[in-house]
Structure formats: C-alpha cells, structure tokens
Amino acid sequence: MANLKNVTKKTKAQAMGMHSEVLTGRTQQKFFNPDEAENFYYFGTYDVDFNKRTDLDVKNMTAAEANKELDNLMSQGYGTIVIKNPQGKHSLGVGILNKLNLIFEGSLGYFGMGSSDGPIVRINGRVGWSCAENLMAGKVVIEKNAGSCFGAAIRGGDLICKGSVGARTGIDMKGGTIIIGGDAGAFTGFMMQRGRIIILGDVGINLGDSMYDGTIFVGGEIGSYGSDAVDSELTQSDQDWLRRKLRVAEIGENFDVSKMKKIVAGKKLWNYDNLEPAEKKGAI
C-alpha cells in the first residue's frame, strides 16, 4: 500500500509540473532554411514558362469549368494565359497559388481573382464586388472601374484600379497596397488593420472608419472621416515612396504627391473597453 501511495503522489506532482527533468542530448530540429525561400511552393503548383503562351475562350464555359481548364493549362507549363470572353462571369481566376501572367480580355463579375498568391494579372475591363479578396501576393491591375469591397481583407501584393471604385474598398485590409486612379466610395479603409491605400481622386464619407492601423493617402476631397481616423504629417519618405509606387503602377505619372493627405488611426479604439462612457461616445 505504501508503494501505491508513493506512486499516486508522484503522478499528481508530475501532472502539476512540480518535478524536474534533465534535458540531455537535445538539439533544435531544423525544418527549413529561410535562405531558400525562393524554392518554397504550395502543394500542387506548377513550374511554368512565361514565354509559353496560349489563349482560353471561356464564352461557353461555366466559371468552374474555366478555372479547371486554367489549372490544366498551368499543369502543361503555360506561364502566360489570355482569357477571352469572360463576359462578367463570377469567381473567375480564384485560388491561383502559382506564378502566372494572366490577362483577361473583358470584364469580370463578383469575386474575381479571390484568394490568390503570386500571379500577375491584367483585366482589360471592369470588375464587380470583392475583386482580389484575400490576395496574398502578386499584382492585379484593372483598366476601368471596380465595384464595392475592392481588395477586401487583402494581405499582400499590389491591387491597382485605374478608374474608380465603390464603397468599403480595403475593408478589413491586413497588408499590401491598393492604388485607385479615380474616386473611392464611402467607408473606404473600414476596419483596416495593416497596409496602405492610395486614392488619387475624391473619397466618400467615413474614410478609415474604425481603422486599427495602416495608412491612407488621398489626393482629392474627403467626404468625412470615420471613427478614429485622423490626419498625420506627410513626410518626405512618404512622398518618395508614393512616387515610386505610382511609377511602378503606371498610374498618376504627373500627380503632385506633395499635396496628398495622410490619414492614420487615432488609436483611441485600441483600448475601447477601458474608456469611460463619455469617452466611448466621443470615440465612436
């Protein structure tokens, strides 16, 4: 019985972490080498040749059929693919986790190029709601206008619209850069957490409402500021970065960035639960 009691006490002590253990002969296990980042690929991606080019007419295809054939062409090594007759279909080009030059000759519907990581895309038309939602990396250029929720929750890459965009552009944005050549709608930058938005034209009401972090640059008039969005000083570093970004985006070549307004988070909402009732009312 004495032996059983000792065993029981030892087990409880171990469960509570009240025992010592000598660590001998253990070393860190190396899972990957960060210097080899260029060799990391998603499972199921393909080694493509950008000089290998083909066309894909999706006029008589559903979006699912078109996306499947797009994947099939990448599996054959095509690195430049031209999509003909997209005709405003929804959810085209979604989930591409591959290096690829992709050109759409026409307009897309809702959710075009969503959840992508890596492709360089040019859309020679308009796009509907939520274009490039959850973009991780790469570059997407829209030659005309875009609908609402443009670049929702993007995490990286460059998203460029040479025309105007709808409401809630950059909503829940977590990284990357959104560049607008024209105007933007209400609640642009709503709840953005990271990243930058550049708007060369005017922007609607409630700009940057409830933004947690990130930066918004506006070249035109601002309808109104949202909760916790405040002006900040436009530094020389900001101006240099804006010029480089616009030059790479091939937009606003002669735009005077020195006159742009810089908007950031006032950070009053960071500790909202700790504010007094009167302070909460002022914050929102």
Side-chain angles (χ1 to χ4, degrees), residues 127-134 140 142 144-155 158-211 213-218:
V127 295
W129 281 36
S130 295
C131 177
E133 181 178 8
N134 286 301
V140 179
I142 294 90
K144 295 184 179 179
N145 299 323
S148 297
C149 297
F150 184 65
I154 72 168
R155 288 161 168 77
D158 288 342
L159 180 55
I160 303 161
C161 180
K162 295 187 176 181
S164 295
V165 299
R168 299 180 298 282
T169 289
I171 181 175
D172 198 27
M173 181 178 179
K174 297 177 177 66
T177 305
I178 296 177
I179 305 176
I180 311 300
D183 301 331
F187 285 94
T188 289
F190 179 49
M191 294 180 65
M192 71 181 293
Q193 300 175 34
R194 291 288 190 277
R196 297 181 176 96
I197 300 176
I198 305 171
I199 304 162
L200 300 188
D202 300 334
V203 64
I205 62 172
N206 295 317
L207 173 68
D209 189 73
S210 301
M211 64 186 294
D213 207 342
T215 310
I216 304 174
F217 299 96
V218 180

Side-chain angles (χ1 to χ4, degrees), residues 47-177:
D47 185 14
V48 299
D49 180 0
F50 294 135
N51 294 318
K52 189 175 181 180
R53 179 183 176 119
T54 188
D55 296 343
L56 175 61
D57 193 329
V58 301
K59 181 177 181 179
N60 298 318
M61 294 182 181
T62 65
E65 291 169 341
N67 290 333
K68 185 175 182 180
E69 182 58 26
L70 186 58
D71 185 78
N72 180 46
L73 291 172
M74 287 189 291
S75 71
Q76 298 176 41
Y78 287 101
T80 301
I81 302 175
V82 180
I83 305 294
K84 295 182 176 295
N85 297 308
Q87 297 185 324
K89 289 184 173 66
H90 304 316
S91 302
L92 283 179
V94 299
I96 297 178
L97 309 177
N98 215 94
K99 299 295 184 182
L100 178 69
N101 286 331
L102 184 60
I103 303 166
F104 288 93
E105 292 190 346
S107 299
L108 306 186
Y110 298 163
F111 306 111
M113 294 309 307
S115 299
S116 296
D117 191 342
I120 306 298
V121 185
R122 185 173 297 274
I123 301 169
N124 297 324
R126 298 179 295 274
V127 295
W129 281 36
S130 295
C131 177
E133 181 178 8
N134 286 301
L135 177 71
M136 298 292 290
K139 182 178 179 180
V140 179
V141 181
I142 294 90
E143 294 291 341
K144 295 184 179 179
N145 299 323
S148 297
C149 297
F150 184 65
I154 72 168
R155 288 161 168 77
D158 288 342
L159 180 55
I160 303 161
C161 180
K162 295 187 176 181
S164 295
V165 299
R168 299 180 298 282
T169 289
I171 181 175
D172 198 27
M173 181 178 179
K174 297 177 177 66
T177 305

Side-chain angles (χ1 to χ4, degrees), residues 227-228 266-284:
S227 299
D228 214 23
K267 301 183 180 179
K268 289 183 179 179
L269 297 177
W270 281 28
N271 300 297
Y272 182 78
D273 291 339
N274 297 326
L275 298 178
E276 296 295 330
E279 293 176 316
K280 289 184 178 181
K281 187 175 180 180
I284 61 175

